[in-house]
Amino acid sequence: MRHRAYTLIELLIAVALGMVIMLAAVAAVRTAAGALTMANRIGAENALICAGFLAALDEIDDWRTYDDATPGSANLRLRDRDAARGYGLPFTPMRDGWPRDAVDAWDGDAARWAVNHPDGRWRGNLAERIGTDLRFGRYAIFADVRTPAMVGSQAYGAYGPVQPRTWLASQVRGLDHALGHYGLLEYLPPNQVLAWYDAAPGADEPTLQGGMSAQWATMNFWSDIPSFDPYASRSILPPAAATDGWSTAQLVDGHRRLYQTGWMTSWMPGDMSEFLRRSLASRPLLPLAPSAWPAVAIQVCRSARLYRFNTLCRVRWTSPITGESSDLAFSGFGTTLRGARQARGLDLP
Amino acid sequence: MTRRGTVLVVVAGLAALLAAIGLAFIMRVREDSAEINLAVREAQARLMLMAACTYVLESGRIGYDVDPQNGAAHEEGFGWIDVRAIAPQDQPYRVGPRDQDRRALFSPAPAVDGDGDGVAERPAWPAIGGVARCPMHRLRRPPYAIAPTAVYNPIGDDGLPLLAHPDPQPGVGATWPASPAAPSFADFVAGDPRPIAGSTGQAWFRCHRQDEALFVLTCGAGATQGFASWDEVVGAGATDEFGGDQRLFADVMAAEIRRWYRIEWSAAVGSVYDFHFVDNEIKTADHYLMHPHNATQCMRGRSVRSQVRRPNCCGTIRWVEHLETPPARW
């Protein structure tokens, strides 16, 4: 049988079909390779987001962004103390931050803080902050932060000895001095009155006529706790670019003010942005990661607002290709400031 | 024939290539899913911290079904440190929870075998040293469940609700029975404790009362149901829960996430901002005009102080401390 040769048309068709097949094969391989690359990139991104989420959960408990005693990366800035004024920061050891002239030391005994313990009762005139004519008495005589005062007048002489009730006032004043407002709010029971009596105040601690401390009203107008606006925020200032280079005195003041983050924002424009700039801790998940990997940052903001302690976490990642940022934000519940301090042994006498 | 074979080989090769790549993609997605599962379980364990704190808050006040002293049902408690123990002569009644007659709703006598040796060595919850183990599966119908109906009594044309129907209504049966002695009421009380499939083995917590107001909370995401060890499973007579297989329990425990916390309870409620209201609302008035804590008779448009604004009636958690390593007793 004679072998029939290919015609030119058959050959052209065969070549064309072959090219189509090859093109399809190349396109398929390229698409598949691209898909694989994208899958790997998305996989790596997911893994980093997941790691960032877990790191944020850990941050809720270990407070490492705020206070880290790890050798080599020690960050102990919030343990400083303003010696000149006698004020501490949220992680200042209690023995250092507690007022030197306090008659009572810090007392964390749950039994003594129990609501049925007489020492925890507020003794005083709550309305006194706005002025008093002492018609209800001068509670500073016995509810003083120091030893019982010998208060009197030339006409009537001294009152004489009184039953000392210095414990509660000492605790409130001591916590205010040692930790700042966030710590004060957290350490005290939620029904505690944020005031104390001081019959013999120092130059930096003015009192009103009855002996009630006017400390908050004079240190910073917006840090007047009794006139508290619940929509405002009081935060802990972590190491951040906005506070980089601050002196201890500036940090002390920064932990004793509030930021208008609610309805009064319009009265205090810029407070919200200042609050975020100063209060949002941010650290990279992997500082030495390859540049082709997404940049993942863990951000935490701890503040007291609306009668609650808020721990806002955010995992933010940025695409190395498009530069697009996305984030996952959530609020967390875990170790409190006091718990973190106890874990570090900062409340020991 | 050769040409056809070539085409077939090429097409088959391409198909195999695409299938392999697709499979690799699916496997990668599966791996990602497994990694995310770790985060889910971690978050689930931490959710248990909130559940455990809530349990501590409520279980000191809401009380217990059986009073070991007199057998009465569901005695109300007065907190982990009894708020009525003020005078020195009251101090023997200091540790709660106690009922209205100050009888203890707990017994310090050893009642629980926690190490499987057949001898009870720790008291039952809620005594100091006791442990409450709480697997957190969903029940088909919890005890005392009410129906999820939001509006039983629609607003009439005159703007008033027609109070024709009791609100709320029980979660079982058409309406409330005429008498608590009716069988449907017993059904309402008992609920349907069968777990919903798929909700078991996910998460649990357990509370160890370390001291009067100190608790060690263990939060877990896994299927051990909160048993600390196989010995405890044996002591509780719960080996059937794991098919009597100690290795199964060990496997389940190894795959589990556990977190330990120490917390302190306080009976204090209210807010530090009460002073704000005193200052802003009462001004120069005498201090005895202050609202009582549970006041609902607020001045219109002025006070935000009302019963619904109270944080809770069960106390507060004063602090939470994460424990890096498991404590000796939990």
Side-chain angles (χ1 to χ4, degrees):
Chain A
M1 182 178 172
R2 179 175 174 269
H3 180 73
R4 181 178 175 269
Y6 291 113
T7 65
L8 182 60
I9 291 175
E10 282 178 331
L11 194 61
L12 286 173
I13 290 173
V15 169
L17 284 174
M19 287 180 66
V20 168
I21 290 172
M22 286 308 296
L23 283 173
V26 169
V29 170
R30 284 190 60 185
T31 303
L36 198 61
T37 304
M38 182 170 286
N40 281 334
R41 191 168 61 77
I42 292 173
E45 190 172 287
N46 283 344
L48 287 171
I49 294 168
C50 185
F53 176 68
L54 293 173
L57 291 181
D58 285 342
E59 172 64 34
I60 291 171
D61 277 335
D62 62 26
W63 289 67
R64 199 159 55 87
T65 300
Y66 293 81
D67 183 81
D68 186 5
T70 307
S73 63
N75 163 32
L76 304 174
R77 194 173 71 149
L78 294 185
R79 297 192 187 192
D80 287 346
R81 175 175 178 269
D82 181 354
R85 292 186 291 171
Y87 287 106
L89 294 168
F91 282 91
T92 303
M94 201 65 92
R95 71 174 80 86
D96 297 336
W98 202 256
R100 302 284 195 269
D101 56 359
V103 67
D104 299 284
W106 157 243
D107 189 346
D109 182 12
R112 202 164 186 186
W113 280 105
V115 293
N116 56 353
H117 198 291
D119 281 346
R121 294 182 199 154
W122 168 256
R123 295 171 170 84
N125 178 10
L126 280 175
E128 193 173 303
R129 196 187 73 84
I130 52 155
T132 176
D133 56 6
L134 302 183
R135 73 175 63 180
F136 298 115
R138 187 172 185 182
Y139 291 92
I141 294 171
F142 61 94
D144 192 12
V145 294
R146 306 166 200 273
T147 50
M150 296 294 287
V151 182
S153 67
Q154 288 186 344
Y156 297 100
Y159 279 97
V162 295
Q163 171 73 31
R165 295 292 184 184
T166 62
W167 184 83
L168 181 63
S170 293
Q171 302 304 311
V172 180
R173 174 176 176 255
L175 290 170
D176 173 67
H177 281 45
L179 305 177
H181 290 170
Y182 184 101
L184 174 75
L185 294 172
E186 194 197 280
Y187 268 60
L188 290 176
N191 57 350
Q192 187 60 55
V193 174
L194 297 170
W196 67 84
Y197 283 98
D198 194 345
D204 293 334
E205 298 180 289
T207 60
L208 302 169
Q209 189 177 358
M212 178 87 83
S213 171
Q215 181 67 31
W216 291 313
T218 57
M219 189 172 182
N220 180 324
F221 176 75
W222 292 108
S223 64
D224 179 7
I225 285 183
S227 293
F228 188 82
D229 168 16
Y231 295 98
S233 298
R234 296 168 190 278
S235 59
I236 299 182
L237 306 184
T243 59
D244 200 25
W246 276 23
S247 66
T248 301
Q250 285 176 296
L251 280 174
V252 160
D253 290 343
H255 283 92
R256 287 163 175 80
R257 65 157 290 180
L258 61 79
Y259 296 89
Q260 292 300 339
T261 54
W263 65 278
M264 283 183 67
T265 305
S266 57
W267 293 8
M268 299 292 291
D271 250 25
M272 175 64 93
S273 58
E274 279 298 290
F275 168 72
L276 288 174
R277 284 199 320 122
R278 295 176 180 177
S279 309
L280 195 64
S282 183
R283 63 178 170 89
L285 176 67
L286 297 172
L288 302 179
S291 59
W293 287 13
V296 178
I298 300 147
Q299 301 178 326
V300 182
C301 177
R302 299 178 189 265
S303 64
R305 183 175 183 266
L306 282 174
Y307 319 121
R308 293 173 179 84
F309 295 96
N310 308 299
T311 303
L312 178 67
C313 303
R314 189 159 66 183
V315 181
R316 168 165 286 200
W317 60 95
T318 305
S319 168
I321 299 172
T322 63
E324 181 184 3
S325 287
S326 307
D327 58 50
L328 168 70
F330 58 97
S331 60
F333 176 64
T335 298
T336 58
L337 173 65
R338 185 171 171 185
R341 287 176 54 89
Q342 289 177 166
R344 290 161 169 79
L346 299 176
D347 285 354
L348 299 175
Chain B
M1 296 298 290
T2 305
R3 283 179 292 168
R4 290 175 192 159
T6 303
V7 170
L8 187 63
V9 167
V10 170
V11 171
L14 285 174
L17 184 65
L18 290 173
I21 290 171
L23 186 64
F25 182 78
I26 291 170
M27 286 181 65
R28 185 62 199 242
V29 171
R30 178 68 183 84
E31 286 175 11
D32 288 348
S33 172
E35 288 175 5
I36 292 293
N37 190 40
L38 174 67
V40 170
R41 290 161 71 85
E42 184 73 42
Q44 205 155 25
R46 287 166 190 270
L47 282 174
M48 291 298 102
L49 172 61
M50 184 68 82
C53 286
T54 306
Y55 180 77
V56 168
L57 288 172
E58 293 185 352
S59 55
R61 290 284 284 122
I62 287 180
Y64 293 86
D65 286 340
V66 177
D67 180 343
Q69 301 292 329
N70 61 14
H74 207 81
E75 297 284 350
E76 180 185 7
F78 286 76
W80 298 104
I81 296 176
D82 198 303
V83 293
R84 301 164 297 179
I86 297 173
Q89 63 269 25
D90 295 330
Q91 294 313 302
Y93 308 103
R94 171 184 165 75
V95 178
R98 294 174 178 273
D99 66 10
Q100 58 267 42
D101 297 323
R102 300 207 297 191
R103 286 181 294 234
L105 294 173
F106 60 87
S107 169
V112 177
D113 175 16
D115 53 14
D117 63 358
V119 180
E121 76 281 345
R122 74 178 183 220
W125 177 266
I128 293 176
V131 172
R133 186 179 55 80
C134 306
M136 293 295 284
H137 53 262
R138 289 172 56 208
L139 307 180
R140 288 179 184 272
R141 180 166 45 81
Y144 300 98
I146 59 173
T149 305
V151 180
Y152 290 97
N153 298 291
I155 303 294
D157 293 339
D158 55 359
L160 297 175
L162 301 171
L163 301 177
H165 308 289
D167 180 7
Q169 302 243 13
V172 58
T175 185
W176 294 104
S179 162
S184 65
F185 190 81
D187 199 14
F188 163 71
V189 169
D192 185 349
R194 290 177 297 169
I196 291 178
S199 72
T200 57
Q202 300 291 322
W204 51 267
F205 68 83
R206 57 186 277 157
C207 305
H208 168 243
R209 191 178 183 189
Q210 181 181 334
D211 203 347
E212 293 174 348
L214 274 182
F215 299 85
V216 172
L217 309 180
T218 310
C219 308
T224 63
Q225 300 182 44
F227 286 108
S229 65
W230 179 254
D231 290 339
E232 191 176 75
V233 176
V234 173
T239 54
D240 288 347
E241 303 274 351
F242 303 94
D245 188 346
Q246 185 175 356
R247 282 184 302 179
L248 172 64
F249 180 82
D251 289 344
V252 166
M253 193 168 71
E256 194 164 71
I257 288 177
R258 292 180 173 182
R259 295 274 176 259
W260 288 269
Y261 294 87
R262 185 176 286 117
I263 67 166
E264 183 184 305
W265 172 87
S266 166
V269 294
S271 79
V272 292
Y273 311 114
D274 287 349
F275 198 5
H276 162 69
F277 302 126
V278 173
D279 176 44
N280 277 347
E281 296 177 7
I282 300 189
K283 294 295 179 185
T284 55
D286 290 343
H287 70 295
Y288 51 75
L289 290 179
M290 286 188 298
H291 297 298
H293 257 209
N294 283 329
T296 54
Q297 68 278 21
C298 300
M299 289 177 283
R300 181 181 177 85
R302 295 289 303 278
S303 181
V304 293
R305 200 176 207 193
S306 67
Q307 200 158 27
V308 296
R309 287 266 180 171
R310 308 312 303 169
N312 62 68
C313 59
C314 299
T316 42
I317 303 297
R318 289 203 66 188
W319 49 264
V320 179
E321 179 183 351
H322 178 245
L323 305 175
E324 292 291 338
T325 55
R329 290 178 179 274
W330 55 277

